[in-house]
Amino acid sequence: MGNDLRALTELDRLIHEPARLLIVTILSTVESADFLFLQRETGLTKGNLSAHLSKLEEAGYVKIEKTFKGKLPLTVCKLAGAGRKALTQYRQQMQDFMTRTQ
Amino acid sequence: MNNNLSDVEQRVKRYWYTDGIGELIGGGIFILLGIYFAAQQYLGENSLVGGLLQAGLVILLIGGMAIGRWLIKALKSRLTYPRTGYVEYRVDRESTNKRRIVVAVVAALVAAFSMVFAQRIASFLNLTLALTGILVGVILSFLQGRGSGLERFYVMGAISIVLGIVLSLSRLPDGYGLGLFYSLMGFSFIVSGGLTLRRYLQENPLPAEAERQNG
């Protein structure tokens, strides 16, 4: 296996998944965002978004706070330090890969 | 890949302007500024109220911005967040510092220009007004327009520059000229913000309560 391809195997698969990459990218731009905003921006269904957020939370990449606004539940998500670091590393790896293969 | 991710980032940043509420409140502040300058001219610096007005500009600006920020948050909480979601933005110190540097450089250039050319052109145009129009226009185009990628800010920037130059040729006294400039700019902001808000509300009806179960 060439070095270029080997570099791909070292990618963080948790972030490499397109939906999760989108979620992490959105959260990297803001301080925090709620579930509704993430759902609209990603175009995912509630169930799908919940599942991806749970995986990211388990990995310590995202912090999720469940509160209430009036009678309605409000889920606010925030990118954790580990998530920000993982995204930066992922982008760098992808950039390097693209440069090498062009 | 990075280009696509940058698009996502810019779209998220643009979300702040999606409802036009900022422009509506900003327009209101501009109109208040317009009334302030016109009132100052009308009352004169030597009257008690005129003197108080002159001393109160900083308080008016800081107070107006604080109340404006509070109003924007309150309106967004009622109109925007229940429809399209809540976002709290990060304070990006690096980009804030860059913005400050751009504003400072533009202000310095404007001041230098006015000192060098004031004598020559003061005879046929009101320099304060022309430079105010250019300064506001540059800030709108380069900081708001380029930062958000929204064309309407370039249009507002162009309106500011044209308005500043046209009014500067009108030979109105400084206070009335500035008052008219800020009032017309405020009106333009309100029209732009109002149209944006109307479109936003049409495109994003309030979801049913079951759908608003946020997560």
Side-chain angles (χ1 to χ4, degrees):
Chain A
M1 193 187 289
N3 277 345
D4 295 339
L5 284 175
R6 194 169 294 131
L8 271 184
T9 64
E10 289 165 5
L11 284 175
D12 183 342
R13 286 174 188 228
L14 198 74
I15 282 194
H16 189 52
E17 201 284 326
R20 287 196 288 270
L21 179 60
L22 194 52
I23 294 169
V24 170
T25 303
I26 291 168
L27 290 177
S28 73
T29 316
V30 298
E31 179 65 32
S32 60
D34 73 356
F35 193 88
L36 177 61
F37 179 78
L38 288 174
Q39 201 190 340
R40 289 184 64 95
E41 284 297 315
T42 57
L44 295 168
T45 61
K46 276 187 179 184
N48 243 332
L49 178 59
S50 268
H52 286 305
L53 281 173
S54 296
K55 281 187 184 166
L56 289 167
E57 190 184 25
E58 277 169 28
Y61 286 2
V62 166
K63 287 179 188 167
I64 298 174
E65 201 182 298
K66 292 191 183 239
T67 55
F68 278 88
K69 194 175 182 196
K71 287 177 185 172
L72 296 172
L74 178 72
T75 304
V76 178
C77 309
K78 193 175 177 172
L79 192 66
R84 195 169 298 280
K85 199 174 158 188
L87 178 65
T88 310
Q89 196 178 0
Y90 174 83
R91 288 180 84 155
Q92 189 58 56
Q93 282 174 318
M94 284 304 285
Q95 191 99 54
D96 291 347
F97 177 75
M98 298 299 275
T99 313
R100 280 205 301 266
T101 52
Q102 268 169 4
Chain B
M1 163 70 76
N2 270 334
N3 279 341
N4 292 340
L5 295 183
S6 301
D7 289 346
V8 172
E9 286 168 351
Q10 201 180 36
R11 205 175 62 222
V12 173
K13 283 179 188 166
R14 255 199 320 251
Y15 181 63
W16 176 258
Y17 303 104
T18 193
D19 50 19
I21 288 174
E23 285 147 271
L24 281 172
I25 303 298
I29 293 175
F30 263 56
I31 288 177
L32 282 180
L33 264 177
I35 294 170
Y36 168 88
F37 282 118
Q40 206 183 32
Q41 181 77 46
Y42 178 74
L43 294 165
E45 287 171 20
N46 297 328
S47 74
L48 178 66
V49 184
L52 282 173
L53 271 179
Q54 198 163 25
L57 180 62
V58 178
I59 296 167
L60 184 84
L61 279 176
I62 294 172
M65 281 168 77
I67 293 169
R69 209 170 294 154
W70 176 81
L71 260 175
I72 290 172
K73 276 194 170 182
L75 284 171
K76 277 183 179 286
S77 293
R78 276 193 84 83
L79 298 173
T80 316
Y81 301 153
R83 283 176 167 80
T84 48
Y86 162 81
V87 167
E88 191 181 323
Y89 287 92
R90 279 197 305 147
V91 181
D92 185 350
R93 288 189 194 286
E94 199 180 323
S95 111
T96 308
N97 285 339
K98 271 185 195 169
R99 280 172 178 231
R100 281 182 186 150
I101 290 168
V102 170
V103 173
V105 168
V106 172
L109 285 174
V110 165
F113 175 85
S114 62
M115 282 169 78
V116 174
F117 294 103
Q119 294 292 327
R120 279 187 218 170
I121 56 179
S123 55
F124 67 89
L125 105 171
N126 181 335
L127 203 61
T128 314
L129 252 171
L131 295 179
T132 303
I134 292 168
L135 186 61
V136 172
V138 167
I139 289 170
L140 281 169
S141 303
F142 283 90
L143 296 186
Q144 302 282 82
R146 216 170 63 100
S148 66
L150 289 169
E151 285 172 7
R152 66 179 194 265
F153 287 114
Y154 290 109
V155 175
M156 295 297 293
I159 290 175
S160 169
I161 292 170
V162 171
L163 208 57
I165 291 171
V166 168
L167 285 176
S168 72
L169 298 168
S170 69
R171 314 286 299 162
L172 278 168
D174 263 4
Y176 291 140
L178 280 173
L180 197 55
F181 170 79
Y182 280 110
S183 300
L184 289 173
M185 278 309 291
F187 181 70
S188 309
F189 272 122
I190 286 174
V191 169
S192 162
L195 290 174
T196 308
L197 180 61
R198 195 180 68 165
R199 199 179 57 213
Y200 171 79
L201 293 176
Q202 279 170 351
E203 287 174 0
N204 301 285
L206 197 62
E209 192 154 315
E211 281 179 55
R212 280 161 62 198
Q213 301 280 318
N214 205 337

